[in-house]
């Protein structure tokens, strides 16, 4: 019997509507102590999933707000338990008073992610769906939201379940023959499962290949702006951000550290990193900034080389070019197009070279189109991609165990030796869906959530 928990589910800002949520056995009785319905019926006796008008009361019986309440009976609720929601006017003072009244009536404060955690523990969703809930809340692009929504609906779960079930059938068949030799059970032949093992290993490998796109969907593209001093790197970041995020002067070396800003460029979310200009310097602080620039470029998903198109290329430009070409993806921008062109696109060894003017915005739309082409993958954003490192690591371990099982099969190992690897694959896959996940991992996952979800 779970304790009744309560929390505000709509944040602490003033809004038109604010929602207080409760869950747990007996929550209808607890909520009924602070709610007086207009139809006179106690809250726990109201029709299931029907909004009811009434007054929300404080612990002294005074009206806090006129609101709507809805009682949902478990197990067909979000958490799988009885739940109640109060839909109030969105004053933080009203919501805080209502919450305090509920605590005095017998509820306790909900912990971070506790509603979704109860949904997971009660079998209303698996762990991929639970993790996708917070991804959906935090989504900063339409594609990220679409992918998270697909995972909430169980798309990733449906990709993994047939593989897990196949491995379960294999192991159960072997143990049934081993434990019940006198029963009329079809003889176990490991070679009969070789085709299935290869197919499932191939499916896991294909899933692993989606992680790059999934990580970018969730986190955005880490994009380092690289170039020598005074070519317009900071001006470019300001132009893309839409405000003066970085100080811009004519003095070389103004930017001495990496500065980050997240922007939507076309359909792609970029985590822009403005870096110190690449050059040799005796200034100790600037030299530290230059070293950080090199590290940022090496770790970025995209390196954006920027040069001053009105001036001939220098050795410092060529140093920055080499740094950018080592990145997984790179693009070149010839800036200051309004000052006349000395540098031509053919002078730069990049697949994509675009002439821009950070001051006027010229060419930035072409830049956005090029980045969209670079990072809009062919995999649909429907929830079927891996989106976080925990999932990727578990699927990787499952895949490696599958390969070990196939190798053992080819080498003629005994079935029990091969099945050890198969069971390790199942355990790793269970960490993705929650079938075998440890309590400490579960706790860490739900710590990402906000209170009230």
């Amino acid at each position: 019997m779970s304790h009744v928990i309560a929390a505000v589910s709509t944040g602490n800002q003033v809004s038109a509507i604010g929602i207080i949520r409760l869950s747990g056995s007996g929550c209808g009785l607890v909520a009924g102590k602070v709610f007086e319905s207009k139809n006179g019926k106690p809250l726990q006796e109201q029709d299931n999933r029907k909004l009811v008008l009434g007054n929300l009361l404080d612990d002294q019986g005074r009206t806090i707000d006129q609101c709507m309440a809805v009682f949902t009976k478990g197990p067909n609720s979000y958490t799988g338990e009885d739940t109640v929601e109060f839909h109030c006017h969105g004053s933080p003072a009203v919501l805080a008073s209502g919450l305090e009244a509920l605590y005095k009536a017998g509820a306790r404060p909900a912990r971070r992610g506790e509603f979704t955690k109860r949904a997971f523990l009660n079998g209303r969703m698996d762990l991929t769906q639970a993790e996708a809930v917070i991804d959906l809340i935090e989504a900063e692009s339409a594609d990220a939201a679409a992918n998270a929504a697909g995972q909430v609906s169980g798309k990733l779960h449906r990709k993994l379940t047939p593989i897990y079930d196949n491995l379960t059938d294999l192991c159960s068949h072997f143990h049934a023959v081993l434990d019940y030799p006198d029963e009329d059970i079809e003889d176990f032949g490991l070679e009969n499962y070789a085709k299935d093992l290869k197919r499932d290993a191939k499916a896991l490998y294909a899933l692993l290949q989606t992680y790059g796109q999934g990580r970018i969907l969730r986190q955005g593209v880490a994009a380092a702006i690289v170039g020598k001093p005074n070519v317009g790197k900071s001006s470019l970041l300001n132009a893309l951000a839409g405000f003066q995020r970085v100080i811009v002067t004519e003095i070389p070396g103004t930017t001495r550290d990496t500065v980050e800003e997240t922007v939507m460029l076309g359909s792609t979310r970029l985590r822009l990193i403005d870096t110190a200009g690449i050059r040799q310097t005796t200034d100790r602080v600037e030299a530290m900034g230059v070293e950080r620039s090199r590290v940022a470029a090496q770790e970025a998903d995209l390196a954006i080389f920027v040069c001053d198109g009105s001036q001939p290329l220098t050795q410092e430009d060529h140093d920055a070019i080499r740094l950018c070409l080592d990145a997984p993806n790179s693009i070149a921008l010839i800036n200051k197009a309004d000052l006349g062109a000395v540098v031509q696109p053919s002078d730069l060894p990049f697949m994509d070279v675009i002439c821009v003017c950070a001051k006027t915005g010229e060419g930035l739309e072409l830049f956005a189109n090029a980045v969209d082409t670079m990072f809009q993958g062919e995999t649909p954003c429907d929830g079927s991609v891996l989106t976080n490192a925990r999932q990727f690591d578990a699927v990787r371990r499952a895949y490696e165990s599958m390969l070990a099982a196939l190798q053992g099969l080819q080498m003629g190992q005994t079935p029990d030796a091969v099945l050890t690897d198969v069971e390790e694959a199942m355990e790793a896959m269970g960490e993705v869906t929650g079938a075998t996940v440890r309590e400490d991992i579960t706790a860490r996952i739900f710590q990402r959530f906000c209170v009230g979800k």
Side-chain angles (χ1 to χ4, degrees):
M1 186 173 183
S2 60
H3 202 290
V4 176
I5 56 174
V8 175
S9 294
T10 46
N12 299 318
Q13 303 300 315
V14 174
S15 59
I17 302 295
I19 297 175
I20 301 174
R21 171 185 282 180
L22 299 92
S23 182
S25 179
C27 71
L29 289 171
V30 172
K33 295 178 182 179
V34 302
F35 182 73
E36 187 178 71
S37 66
K38 294 294 185 181
N39 63 19
K41 290 173 60 177
L43 184 58
Q44 71 271 20
E45 295 178 12
Q46 299 288 346
D47 293 341
N48 189 40
R49 297 183 178 180
K50 183 178 180 179
L51 282 168
V52 180
L53 179 65
N55 293 325
L56 183 65
L57 311 175
D58 66 13
D59 61 311
Q60 299 178 33
R62 298 175 302 183
T63 298
I64 300 171
D65 189 20
Q66 186 176 80
C67 67
M68 305 292 288
V70 58
F71 176 55
T72 303
K73 297 177 182 178
N76 298 316
S77 68
Y78 178 76
T79 62
E81 306 169 329
D82 287 353
T83 63
V84 172
E85 285 187 356
F86 291 115
H87 294 232
C88 309
H89 293 93
S91 161
V94 166
L95 299 174
S97 297
L99 206 54
E100 182 179 356
L102 287 167
Y103 293 157
K104 291 181 178 179
R108 71 158 173 81
R111 303 184 185 95
R112 296 171 70 91
E114 190 167 4
F115 290 95
T116 305
K117 184 176 182 179
R118 289 189 177 197
F120 164 64
L121 294 175
N122 291 327
R124 295 295 293 169
M125 58 178 65
D126 81 330
L127 205 54
T128 63
Q129 294 169 290
E131 286 186 285
V133 170
I134 190 62
D135 288 344
L136 185 56
I137 292 171
E138 296 176 345
E140 295 187 22
S141 70
D143 284 347
N147 190 73
Q151 287 198 350
V152 169
S153 70
K155 189 66 178 281
L156 185 57
H157 172 79
R158 289 192 292 273
K159 291 189 74 170
L160 291 173
T161 296
I163 300 174
Y164 190 89
D165 289 347
N166 288 341
L167 301 184
T168 301
D169 290 343
L170 188 159
C171 292
S172 61
H173 186 187
F174 171 74
H175 288 294
V177 172
L178 189 67
D179 296 339
Y180 303 100
D182 297 330
E183 298 292 331
D184 186 20
I185 301 174
E186 181 182 356
D187 288 341
F188 178 81
L190 186 56
E191 63 279 357
N192 297 331
Y193 288 96
K195 184 178 179 180
D196 290 341
L197 286 174
K198 289 178 182 178
R199 183 194 62 230
D200 291 340
K202 185 177 180 180
L204 289 180
Y205 178 78
L207 186 58
L208 288 172
Q209 302 313 300
T210 69
Y211 176 61
Q213 183 190 358
R215 180 180 58 81
I216 286 174
L217 276 176
R218 186 164 170 259
Q219 300 176 0
V221 176
I225 307 173
V226 181
K228 71 180 183 182
N230 266 30
V231 296
K233 300 186 300 300
S234 297
S235 296
L236 175 66
L237 185 144
N238 289 340
L240 296 175
F243 66 101
Q244 295 297 306
R245 174 65 176 84
V246 187
I247 295 173
V248 176
T249 75
E250 72 282 357
I251 303 171
T254 300
T255 301
R256 294 193 169 200
D257 200 354
T258 54
V259 179
E260 296 192 25
E261 185 66 34
T262 299
V263 304
M264 282 301 298
L265 185 66
S267 301
T268 305
R269 185 160 64 103
L270 294 184
R271 291 187 290 114
L272 285 174
I273 307 165
D274 185 22
T275 66
I278 302 297
R279 69 169 177 173
Q280 296 294 325
T281 177
T282 57
D283 185 303
R284 183 165 172 262
V285 176
E286 186 181 354
M288 292 172 65
V290 172
E291 180 56 31
R292 289 191 179 186
S293 299
R294 296 183 185 279
V295 172
Q298 291 166 356
E299 296 179 348
D301 301 308
L302 170 65
I304 305 168
F305 169 72
V306 182
C307 67
D308 181 348
S310 67
Q311 301 292 330
L313 295 174
T314 67
Q315 184 57 49
E316 291 168 341
D317 286 309
H318 289 292
D319 290 342
I321 288 171
R322 284 194 295 271
L323 190 59
C324 290
L325 291 176
D326 286 337
N329 301 279
S330 59
I331 194 168
L333 302 181
I334 302 176
N335 194 26
K336 305 186 181 182
D338 57 325
L339 300 180
V342 173
V343 179
Q344 301 298 321
S346 58
D347 297 331
L348 300 176
F350 293 87
M351 291 291 292
D352 293 292
V353 181
I354 301 168
C355 296
V356 302
C357 179
K359 181 187 290 187
T360 66
E362 178 186 345
L364 294 186
E365 185 175 347
L366 293 175
F367 174 42
N369 293 337
V371 171
D372 276 347
T373 300
M374 192 176 293
F375 288 99
Q376 298 303 309
E378 296 181 0
T379 303
C381 303
D382 60 357
S384 60
V385 301
L386 294 176
T387 55
N388 66 56
R390 190 196 72 82
Q391 293 174 347
F392 174 79
D393 179 66
V395 174
R396 176 190 57 78
R397 286 186 281 113
Y399 173 67
E400 290 175 352
S401 295
M402 292 282 282
L403 290 185
L406 284 167
Q407 185 177 21
L409 183 61
Q410 293 171 353
M411 293 174 61
Q413 291 181 354
T414 57
D416 58 322
V418 174
L419 292 183
T420 297
D421 292 316
V422 171
E423 288 170 352
E424 288 180 358
M426 291 176 62
E427 183 175 357
M429 289 180 62
E431 291 181 21
V432 182
T433 62
T436 57
V437 72
R438 300 195 314 269
E439 185 176 346
D440 59 328
I441 294 177
T442 304
R444 189 160 61 248
I445 288 169
F446 288 102
Q447 285 172 0
R448 288 183 55 213
F449 281 69
C450 51
V451 173
K453 192 55 184 176

